[in-house]
Amino acid sequence: QLTRKLSAQALRVSYGFQEEPYVFRGSDGSWDGVLVEFVHELADHLGFDITEVPISNTSLATYGSAGTNTACANDIALGLTDLCVANAWETTERLRLASALPTWWQEHLYLVTFTGEEQSFMGLLLQVFTPFSPGLWAFIVGSIVTYSILMWLVEIRQLHHGRTSGSFAYSLYMVLLGYLSASPMYMPKTVSGRFITVAFSFFVLIVIASYTANLASFMVQESITGKVDSLASALDAGMKVCSWSSLTPVLEAKFPSISQQLVEMQADYAQAFEDLGAACDAMVIPKFAYDMAVGGLYTPD
């Protein structure tokens, strides 16, 4: 019955997202791929003709951000094409626009998280400076030098004149030692010296408390990143998640609040892996992309 209906008919066929080996442009510019060959074989077997129709600009303008496959499905809804050929995910939006043929395979999705690059020994040593920015470290060093000069002028130079303990180097040494031990190492005798010491002690208190809090925050974040084992736990940890725009309705149906943390990928998988860690902390990708990534196609690591 299907053969009689399609015999001598001309079906308008559009091609969706280009992805080897399914659908892609050959070296001569014509359509090629496994699914393209399948449709042509089907046409020969059932006796119908194929008229290739490009996806309309109207659908691309409306659904282009959701992927060319969704735009192609919209052309079917508008009556501009009869069949959309693509290796497409069966999403809620696409099923609303057009009917899909029986599922020919199931795609498993993987959650990939950014764990950071392997650091060298020097990089590990420099991690102690991570809680503060370079500008803030420069301010702290400047404060230490300033306090050393003030103590040397109002206290040490006068009370230890002519001795080694009366030099500026000694003043800088005592102040630096006091900063590292979070407690003044020199007990001033003058009123001005005591006032300056109290001010500097308060400054050290603020710096030590801020450093400890920031360091703990970095350590907790690294711990959370290493323990993420599902999309739900990634969202609970406040992580930004990258995904293709066509998957957005599917993910929002299961995780209604994901839109606040979802970053839609606009580039290919290679670029997406390069951006992982900058644009987002985790990424939802299909199994074939994961297998290619593990094989080193997208990244050398």
Side-chain angles (χ1 to χ4, degrees):
Q1 185 179 2
L2 179 62
T3 304
R4 289 197 302 268
K5 287 184 178 181
L6 293 178
S7 179
Q9 296 292 323
L11 290 184
R12 296 166 298 176
V13 177
S14 298
Y15 298 105
F17 181 69
Q18 297 186 43
E19 177 187 359
E20 296 186 18
Y22 307 107
V23 177
F24 60 94
R25 290 280 189 180
S27 57
D28 59 351
S30 62
W31 289 104
D32 198 358
V34 176
L35 295 182
V36 177
E37 293 177 1
F38 170 75
V39 172
H40 282 276
E41 289 288 340
L42 189 64
D44 293 339
H45 180 71
L46 297 180
F48 64 88
D49 297 324
I50 291 177
T51 302
E52 295 181 349
V53 179
I55 300 175
S56 67
N57 292 330
T58 300
S59 294
L60 289 174
T62 306
Y63 292 99
S65 61
T68 52
N69 291 336
T70 306
C72 193
N74 188 60
D75 272 359
I76 295 179
L78 296 176
L80 301 178
T81 189
D82 302 309
L83 182 64
C84 183
V85 179
N87 179 37
W89 289 321
E90 191 177 279
T91 65
T92 305
E93 183 69 16
R94 292 168 185 169
L95 290 176
R96 185 182 66 83
L97 296 170
S99 300
L101 293 175
T103 303
W104 67 291
W105 77 332
Q106 290 185 338
E107 185 73 88
H108 296 281
L109 298 178
Y110 280 66
L111 179 69
V112 179
T113 60
F114 178 74
T115 57
E117 299 178 356
E118 185 176 351
Q119 290 186 326
S120 62
F121 177 73
M122 183 58 66
L124 293 174
L125 291 179
L126 293 177
Q127 273 195 327
V128 297
F129 299 103
T130 303
F132 288 159
S133 65
L136 185 55
W137 280 116
F139 174 76
I140 293 174
V141 172
S143 300
I144 292 175
V145 174
T146 301
Y147 176 63
S148 300
I149 294 175
L150 291 176
M151 287 301 297
W152 178 66
L153 291 175
V154 304
E155 179 88 19
I156 296 178
R157 185 180 64 168
Q158 298 180 16
L159 299 181
H160 301 268
H161 180 69
R163 291 181 287 177
T164 304
S165 58
S167 64
F168 172 72
Y170 177 77
S171 176
L172 181 61
Y173 165 74
M174 294 299 292
V175 170
L176 183 59
L177 190 62
Y179 174 80
L180 295 177
S181 60
S183 176
M185 301 303 293
Y186 179 81
M187 295 295 105
K189 304 297 189 298
T190 63
V191 175
S192 56
R194 291 172 181 172
F195 177 78
I196 294 173
T197 300
V198 170
F200 184 74
S201 298
F202 181 74
F203 169 75
V204 171
L205 174 65
I206 297 299
V207 171
I208 295 299
S210 301
Y211 180 87
T212 304
N214 287 349
L215 182 61
S217 176
F218 280 113
M219 294 176 66
V220 169
Q221 182 61 38
E222 290 181 359
S223 176
I224 290 176
T225 303
K227 292 181 179 179
V228 167
D229 57 0
S230 66
L231 184 55
S233 60
L235 296 175
D236 291 340
M239 300 173 68
K240 292 287 185 180
V241 180
C242 283
S243 176
W244 289 111
S245 55
S246 56
L247 281 178
T248 299
V250 178
L251 296 177
E252 287 181 340
K254 187 172 181 61
F255 305 96
S257 62
I258 195 176
S259 57
Q260 301 176 2
Q261 298 168 239
L262 192 63
V263 179
E264 293 186 349
M265 295 188 297
Q266 303 297 334
D268 55 19
Y269 287 113
Q271 185 63 45
F273 272 95
E274 290 184 9
D275 295 339
L276 185 60
C280 50
D281 308 301
M283 180 168 55
V284 177
I285 59 173
K287 183 180 184 298
F288 78 88
Y290 174 81
D291 292 338
M292 291 180 179
V294 172
L297 179 62
Y298 302 131
T299 60
D301 300 327

